[in-house]
Amino acid sequence: MAAVCVFCASSTRLDERWLALARQTGSALAAAGHSLVSGGGRVGMMGTVAEGARSGDAFTLGVIPQSMVGWEVADTGSDELVITDDMAARKRVMMARWDAFVVLPGGLGTLDELFEVWTIGMLGLHDKPVILLDIDGFYTGLLDWIAKLVPLGFVRPSALDCLTVVGSLPEVLDALERCRTPMV
């Protein structure tokens, strides 16, 4: 069993298809025997992925900064809810408690987390899998732009190897399974 940290949108203005994806992700992680580490909010995809995980009896850990408790509405249904002093502490706690990282569609906050975890992995500060779900080409434009930075010398070719890009939820689960031995 792995503790899978999922980053995704917390927006309340999303189309139902994104919430369905989050719910399916949480349920699938639970069915595969994984626990969930999330940003600790109960709204948007963030809250929905936790609901999905709990529906399958997975352990859920939410980590939220004090300043966002009222703003995002803390996920008090989490099995464990950690309230940190700030966003930096939130990231430290989450990164210390995860075995794998899955990125679903999201906005600036999701991108911030993706780039931080991807960067510190590239720098050798962790060797945990970072899996990006590029469903329906959600991240294709971003990935194409990053690939263009390689020949310009701004991004090392080896950095691209530190990110596993998949196009479907079953592929996320397959990628987690391939990485499972080192996580145990």
Side-chain angles (χ1 to χ4, degrees), residues 14 28 40 43-44 57-58 74 88 94 111-112 116 128 132 135 143 150 158 161:
L14 299 173
V43 295
D57 295 323
M94 292 177 84
L111 291 172
D112 171 60
E116 181 163 353
K128 300 172 184 180
L132 179 71
I135 194 158
L143 295 169
V150 173
S158 61
D161 298 333

Side-chain angles (χ1 to χ4, degrees), residues 3 37 61 89-99 128:
V37 179
L61 165 66
R90 176 195 206 186
K91 289 180 190 179
R92 284 191 303 275
V93 170
M94 292 177 84
M95 289 179 198
R97 302 277 302 262
W98 61 283
D99 298 311
K128 300 172 184 180

Side-chain angles (χ1 to χ4, degrees), residues 78-161:
S78 293
D79 293 297
E80 182 181 352
L81 183 64
V82 176
I83 299 173
T84 62
D85 290 335
D86 55 35
M87 290 294 282
R90 176 195 206 186
K91 289 180 190 179
R92 284 191 303 275
V93 170
M94 292 177 84
M95 289 179 198
R97 302 277 302 262
W98 61 283
D99 298 311
F101 186 85
V102 172
V103 183
L104 300 180
L108 294 176
T110 304
L111 291 172
D112 171 60
E113 299 292 347
L114 165 63
F115 282 117
E116 181 163 353
V117 174
W118 187 4
T119 300
I120 63 174
M122 188 227 22
L123 294 173
L125 300 176
H126 76 77
D127 62 354
K128 300 172 184 180
V130 180
I131 303 164
L132 179 71
L133 178 54
D134 185 28
I135 194 158
D136 297 333
F138 187 89
Y139 288 110
T140 300
L142 175 68
L143 295 169
D144 289 347
W145 175 72
I146 292 169
K148 290 177 184 177
L149 296 176
V150 173
L152 298 174
F154 289 102
V155 174
R156 294 181 194 150
S158 61
L160 302 179
D161 298 333

Side-chain angles (χ1 to χ4, degrees), residues 24-108:
Q24 293 164 0
T25 300
S27 296
L29 290 173
H34 301 299
S35 62
L36 174 72
V37 179
S38 79
R42 66 178 177 119
V43 295
M45 291 176 71
M46 186 186 306
T48 306
V49 74
E51 289 171 7
R54 282 194 291 274
S55 75
D57 295 323
F59 179 86
T60 58
L61 165 66
V63 185
I64 189 167
Q66 179 63 50
S67 64
M68 297 176 80
V69 168
W71 188 51
E72 278 191 328
V73 188
D75 183 10
T76 56
S78 293
D79 293 297
E80 182 181 352
L81 183 64
V82 176
I83 299 173
T84 62
D85 290 335
D86 55 35
M87 290 294 282
R90 176 195 206 186
K91 289 180 190 179
R92 284 191 303 275
V93 170
M94 292 177 84
M95 289 179 198
R97 302 277 302 262
W98 61 283
D99 298 311
F101 186 85
V102 172
V103 183
L104 300 180
L108 294 176

